[in-house]
Amino acid sequence: EDTEYREMRNKRASTEDAALEGILSMNDKGAELFEKGEYSSAQEALRKALCMVDEKKGDSTNEAKSASADKATCKSAAVQKLAESDCRNQVNSTSTPSSSKEATSKQRACIVQVKSTPGMSSQPPPASNQPSPKEPSAKRSARAQSPKALEPRPAPPDANCRDGSSSKRRSEYDEGILVFSSLLKLSESTRCVQGTILYNLGRVCHQQGMEDEALPLYKKAIATLELMEEADEPTTLAVLFNVAQIYYFRGDHSEALSTYTLALKISRKAFGFDSLEVAASLNCIGVLNYIMADGDLDTALKVLQTSLKLRRILLGEHHLDVGTTWNNLGRVYFKKGDYEEAMEAYGHALQIRRSVLGDHVDVAATMFNMGQAYHQQGQRDEAIRLYQEFLKVARSRFGSTHRDIAIVTTCIGQIYHEKKDYKHAMDSFQEALKIGKVALGHFHPETAITLNKVGNLFYETGDLNAALEVYQQGLEVEQAVHEDGNTNVLVTLTNIAEIHKQRREYELALEFYSKVLALQRKHIGENSLDVANTLSSIGYVRHLKGDYSGALSISQECLRLRRDAKGDVHEDVASTLTQIALILLKMSMHDISLEVLVEAYRIRTALKMPDSREVSINLYNIAMIYHHQGSYEQALNFYRETARVEMSALGDSHRDLAITFYNIGQVYYQLGEVDVSLEYFRKALEIERECFGDDNTTCARTLNEIGNIELQRGNVEMVMECFTEALRIYRKHGMSDDHLVIFGGSLFRFEVVHPEAASAA
């Protein structure tokens, strides 16, 4: 019986060895086909290998029952090997540790040799901000009475602007996310054959962009690996990194971060704290904290610095992965506003990437990042140079109608806009729109961003009709691609409201501001500062419309929100108090208005604010009330301080200063100090002519005042010169002669003495 059993056992072992060899061979065939890019054939081979495992598992179960019936106390070596290869068979094993040297070395090779692969490498993403181009933040905020139209920040081709947590990531550029990109080969020492093949099959699907098929295979591989009595860390890490990568590119950043954190824990336990696996995990965690809307930039900075330190030690200073980590680190510095540190990090990244890659999109991405840093530091020409370098590389790689070509062209247009080079700015924006519509279609967020910038350009150059038309086009796109509470939608609605306000179409302005207010209350909250800002704008429009009671009520609500959020001593509170005071002035409540203005000035004094137009307006209105009340000395004190602040903040030739000088002249005249009064009227006239030109009616008004003073002084020649010039200006503008007032006398008497000259002979 013993001889017969031994023969049967040897026969089984031989059969099992042959089956295992077939599985190994089929898996290796799939891996070879994968390396050649023959993904469909690789997928077919791996599915066959998986079927062979299932068949072997069935045979093994039947044979194990037969062997147990014949001789329950004996186990063949082949059966034991089979049990170890199938992690569903939880038989006690005393074989070698699950992480063989061969498997471990292969996984480390995957970590070291990662390269960008079209369609699968990780992305960079302005910018704003972004920006947007204020990008870069950038989140855009609507400000009441802004002299400049608001704008969104475009998402740049490198991720210097955080995407929302629901947005998908693109994969043209390398962020160091793509780790474990190769298939795993099998050997007799492989701990979990089925788990490894499941991973390989998932990786083939993943490579083809079939994420919905890859993810269940990865999860099944994880479940299979978890049944192992001894962990298989290299294979587990390979699966985890790829699962996290799918979450990342889908925009499920929270799940991606959790998965990378688990990978970090396993890496530290299996390979130690100073390992490439740990460095790779830390890099990915840093990228996620940078990308996520609620990510922690300090954490991102810390883990990326640790990853960089490990990679420099283990790989050397000039390894491509070191360059990638430098680039990621620069992006975090940029987001934190540390532009000098960002430039230094980008410099290291650019040097390494250029030496390793040559003309490559990752080199271009780093140049773009450096361009953003230069832009933020005000070095616009250098920023344009680097943006153009990006375009040169990107066009050779992607063609002339790629998404990123449109985005960077928009960034160039933004710089020209800032330089007041409106022609080149418009040319750039129009080119970006043309490319963007081909690459992305008309209804795309990037198209809306560029339209918004075109609208801003028209707004700044005073073409309100064109600006309104373009803003409406942008709004149509934004409402099609965004939810109604999206920031960009709110900003465009605010810009449209601002144009209607500028055109004195107050009902339309209120209609659009009210839409903004309703959306903000719904999506942001009743007591948010954004709501306060919109209330401020609504209050101002009601003020302009003459609805002083409504303006006062709205402005008081704005004041409450701002005080609740920022306390009593804040510039926004002072600004709101000033607005309320001006409304009270219109309601002839001068004493209360003066109290409110003095409180606003007290706040600004407590804040030790630098000289600014806001401070000068506050002072001017206090002076004006004292002037109106006949408190001339008090009025003079505040007018003089107003003039000092205006000269400091606005320069010696600003229109506000002309108004202040004119009022000072009036006060001195009322005090009987005619010579001093004349001096200030002449100062006002000089600035008015510089600001508005010689033929402006404001100049005529001041000439009229000077003529009256010269008449009182008996200077007839100057009287005639001033009155004649004032009358010429009024007539040129089609205004009646009654606008010229001579100490209460009529213009008729003046014309009798000085008739119009006869026409030339």
Side-chain angles (χ1 to χ4, degrees):
E1 290 179 357
D2 289 342
T3 300
E4 183 179 352
Y5 180 78
R6 281 196 299 270
E7 289 177 355
M8 183 175 61
R9 184 183 62 184
N10 292 336
K11 182 178 180 181
R12 289 173 185 163
S14 176
T15 302
E16 291 160 1
D17 286 341
L20 182 58
E21 188 63 34
I23 293 170
L24 300 183
S25 176
M26 189 59 67
N27 179 82
D28 289 351
K29 179 181 178 181
E32 290 169 4
L33 290 167
F34 178 85
E35 293 298 327
K36 293 178 182 179
E38 300 177 18
Y39 302 130
S40 296
S41 298
Q43 193 172 349
E44 183 180 350
L46 291 168
R47 290 197 184 279
K48 286 182 180 179
L50 199 58
C51 288
M52 292 167 69
V53 171
D54 290 337
E55 291 173 3
K56 190 170 187 293
K57 172 189 170 185
D59 293 343
S60 170
T61 302
N62 293 333
E63 291 171 5
K65 289 179 179 178
S66 176
S68 177
D70 290 338
K71 195 169 185 177
T73 58
C74 182
K75 292 182 180 179
S76 70
V79 174
Q80 184 176 354
K81 185 184 297 183
L82 176 62
E84 293 173 357
S85 69
D86 185 355
C87 62
R88 293 186 184 276
N89 235 338
Q90 299 186 43
V91 179
N92 290 331
S93 172
T94 58
S95 63
T96 56
S98 61
S99 298
S100 68
K101 291 183 179 180
E102 180 185 2
T104 301
S105 64
K106 286 181 179 178
Q107 294 306 332
R108 288 175 180 270
C110 289
I111 293 176
V112 173
Q113 297 174 2
V114 170
K115 294 182 180 178
S116 296
T117 304
M120 288 306 301
S121 56
S122 35
Q123 117 156 356
S128 8
N129 210 139
Q130 295 229 293
S132 124
K134 168 164 186 223
E135 43 60 193
S137 50
K139 181 180 179 182
R140 304 172 302 168
S141 60
R143 294 186 180 179
Q145 306 175 40
S146 171
K148 198 171 184 179
L150 303 171
E151 62 181 74
R153 179 193 295 273
D158 201 341
N160 273 341
C161 295
R162 293 185 191 177
D163 293 343
S165 59
S166 62
S167 62
K168 292 185 178 181
R169 302 293 294 169
R170 293 162 48 245
S171 58
E172 286 91 338
Y173 311 92
D174 182 21
E175 291 173 302
I177 295 295
L178 181 59
V179 187
F180 297 107
S181 58
S182 301
L183 301 195
L184 305 180
K185 292 190 176 182
L186 298 175
S187 69
E188 292 186 358
S189 62
T190 300
R191 295 292 299 155
C192 188
V193 172
Q194 188 175 21
T196 302
I197 297 173
L198 283 166
Y199 161 75
N200 286 345
L201 190 55
R203 189 70 194 85
V204 175
C205 294
H206 193 168
Q207 181 70 22
Q208 297 176 88
M210 300 158 58
E211 295 177 352
D212 290 339
E213 295 184 29
L215 192 56
L217 289 167
Y218 287 147
K219 290 183 176 180
K220 191 173 181 181
I222 287 289
T224 305
L225 288 161
E226 286 177 346
L227 294 176
M228 294 293 296
E229 290 187 353
E230 294 186 43
D232 184 353
E233 290 92 348
T235 305
T236 301
L237 283 177
V239 180
L240 287 175
F241 268 90
N242 279 276
V243 169
Q245 186 190 129
I246 289 178
Y247 286 138
Y248 175 74
F249 286 113
R250 284 182 170 181
D252 192 348
H253 297 150
S254 179
E255 285 293 333
L257 183 59
S258 298
T259 307
Y260 281 128
T261 302
L262 177 58
L264 175 63
K265 181 179 179 181
I266 294 172
S267 298
R268 283 173 169 167
K269 181 178 179 181
F271 304 113
F273 279 67
D274 300 332
S275 64
L276 287 174
E277 291 81 2
V278 168
S281 302
L282 290 170
N283 177 77
C284 295
I285 290 170
V287 170
L288 260 297
N289 273 285
Y290 164 79
I291 292 297
M292 293 172 67
D294 57 349
D296 187 336
L297 288 180
D298 290 331
T299 297
L301 188 63
K302 181 179 178 180
V303 297
L304 285 170
Q305 287 171 335
T306 305
S307 177
L308 179 65
K309 179 180 178 181
L310 291 174
R311 284 178 163 173
R312 292 171 76 182
I313 293 171
L314 297 171
L315 302 174
E317 294 285 348
H318 305 293
H319 192 276
L320 185 57
D321 287 352
V322 174
T324 298
T325 312
W326 272 120
N327 188 70
N328 290 338
L329 195 59
R331 296 188 300 167
V332 176
Y333 280 128
F334 182 93
K335 269 299 180 190
K336 289 172 68 69
D338 298 332
Y339 302 123
E340 291 294 338
E341 290 83 352
M343 288 295 297
E344 182 179 353
Y346 289 146
H348 289 301
L350 187 60
Q351 182 181 11
I352 295 169
R353 286 181 157 183
R354 267 181 173 158
S355 65
V356 176
L357 300 172
D359 280 342
H360 190 276
V361 292
D362 289 340
V363 175
T366 301
M367 287 192 292
F368 176 85
N369 290 344
M370 292 185 75
Q372 283 194 312
Y374 276 122
H375 189 180
Q376 290 299 318
Q377 292 177 308
Q379 300 183 51
R380 298 188 180 99
D381 292 337
E382 188 63 19
I384 288 179
R385 183 187 69 79
L386 287 165
Y387 288 161
Q388 289 171 338
E389 285 290 319
F390 172 90
L391 291 178
K392 180 180 177 182
V393 176
R395 286 187 181 114
S396 67
R397 172 67 184 273
F398 303 135
S400 60
T401 56
H402 188 267
R403 168 190 187 273
D404 292 346
I405 306 296
I407 291 173
V408 178
T409 302
T410 298
C411 292
I412 292 173
Q414 178 64 30
I415 294 179
Y416 281 128
H417 187 169
E418 292 169 8
K419 295 175 69 175
K420 309 298 181 183
D421 186 347
Y422 298 126
K423 181 182 184 305
H424 283 99
M426 184 60 75
D427 289 345
S428 296
F429 291 147
Q430 295 294 352
E431 182 183 357
L433 279 174
K434 182 179 178 181
I435 296 169
K437 287 179 180 179
V438 174
L440 305 168
H442 180 72
F443 289 97
H444 191 278
E446 297 296 345
T447 302
I449 286 171
T450 308
L451 285 169
N452 192 288
K453 288 185 176 294
V454 173
N456 293 347
L457 185 59
F458 281 129
Y459 180 91
E460 189 169 325
T461 54
D463 191 344
L464 297 183
N465 292 335
L468 181 60
E469 181 180 352
V470 176
Y471 283 144
Q472 288 170 336
Q473 292 174 15
L475 180 63
E476 180 186 9
V477 176
E478 287 170 343
Q479 289 177 329
V481 300
H482 295 306
E483 296 180 356
D484 58 4
N486 181 273
T487 304
N488 289 3
V489 174
L490 297 177
V491 170
T492 304
L493 286 169
T494 301
N495 286 345
I496 292 173
E498 178 68 20
I499 288 180
H500 286 305
K501 183 188 78 176
Q502 295 290 339
R503 292 165 57 166
R504 300 185 180 182
E505 298 167 350
Y506 298 133
E507 290 298 335
L508 285 172
L510 288 173
E511 177 185 336
F512 279 92
Y513 278 131
S514 296
K515 288 180 180 179
V516 175
L517 183 63
L519 290 172
Q520 287 172 333
R521 283 174 165 165
K522 177 180 178 182
H523 295 281
I524 303 174
E526 290 279 348
N527 299 319
S528 72
L529 286 174
D530 288 338
V531 167
N533 293 336
T534 304
L535 286 171
S536 178
S537 297
I538 291 173
Y540 184 61
V541 174
R542 288 194 177 279
H543 180 175
L544 295 174
K545 186 172 175 283
D547 179 9
Y548 303 127
S549 177
L552 183 60
S553 176
I554 292 289
S555 298
Q556 286 174 327
E557 176 64 10
C558 171
L559 179 64
R560 182 189 68 79
L561 293 178
R562 285 177 169 173
R563 273 182 165 158
D564 288 347
K566 299 186 175 183
D568 289 335
V569 182
H570 192 278
E571 166 56 23
D572 286 352
V573 173
S575 175
T576 311
L577 286 169
T578 302
Q579 184 168 321
I580 289 172
L582 296 178
I583 297 169
L584 292 169
L585 271 177
K586 289 291 186 179
M587 298 173 75
S588 299
M589 301 171 71
H590 298 117
D591 291 341
I592 300 177
S593 176
L594 181 59
E595 290 179 16
V596 175
L597 285 168
V598 170
E599 173 62 12
Y601 184 59
R602 182 195 67 78
I603 292 171
R604 289 178 165 128
T605 303
L607 291 170
K608 298 182 179 179
M609 291 183 61
D611 294 335
S612 66
R613 189 166 189 257
E614 289 73 19
V615 173
S616 70
I617 290 172
N618 195 159
L619 289 164
Y620 174 84
N621 284 300
I622 293 174
M624 190 175 63
I625 293 177
Y626 280 127
H627 189 174
H628 176 80
Q629 292 177 335
S631 302
Y632 297 133
E633 291 298 335
Q634 286 278 55
L636 271 180
N637 289 337
F638 279 95
Y639 277 140
R640 289 193 195 103
E641 182 61 11
T642 301
R644 184 197 67 76
V645 173
E646 287 170 340
M647 285 188 284
S648 172
L650 307 174
D652 295 338
S653 303
H654 194 274
R655 59 190 297 176
D656 287 2
L657 184 60
I659 295 171
T660 303
F661 281 159
Y662 182 93
N663 285 351
I664 291 175
Q666 282 190 323
V667 174
Y668 274 118
Y669 182 82
Q670 287 160 334
L671 288 171
E673 299 185 35
V674 178
D675 291 342
V676 182
S677 172
L678 183 61
E679 176 187 346
Y680 277 96
F681 280 129
R682 290 194 180 280
K683 286 181 179 181
L685 180 62
E686 182 180 353
I687 297 172
E688 288 166 353
R689 282 173 167 168
E690 185 173 344
C691 291
F692 310 120
D694 292 342
D695 294 337
N696 190 273
T697 55
T698 302
C699 298
R701 180 202 61 175
T702 307
L703 283 165
N704 195 162
E705 295 285 0
I706 293 172
N708 280 323
I709 293 175
E710 294 290 3
L711 182 60
Q712 187 173 344
R713 297 173 72 198
N715 191 344
V716 177
E717 183 177 351
M718 286 302 302
V719 170
M720 299 308 300
E721 180 180 332
C722 290
F723 285 171
T724 302
E725 179 63 9
L727 186 61
R728 181 191 68 79
I729 295 171
Y730 284 138
R731 287 175 173 175
K732 181 175 181 178
H733 287 275
M735 300 171 68
S736 70
D737 294 349
D738 292 338
H739 283 81
L740 187 68
V741 178
I742 307 172
F743 287 108
S746 69
L747 183 59
F748 172 76
R749 291 171 57 196
F750 176 78
E751 287 192 331
V752 170
V753 179
H754 297 281
E756 291 183 330
S759 59

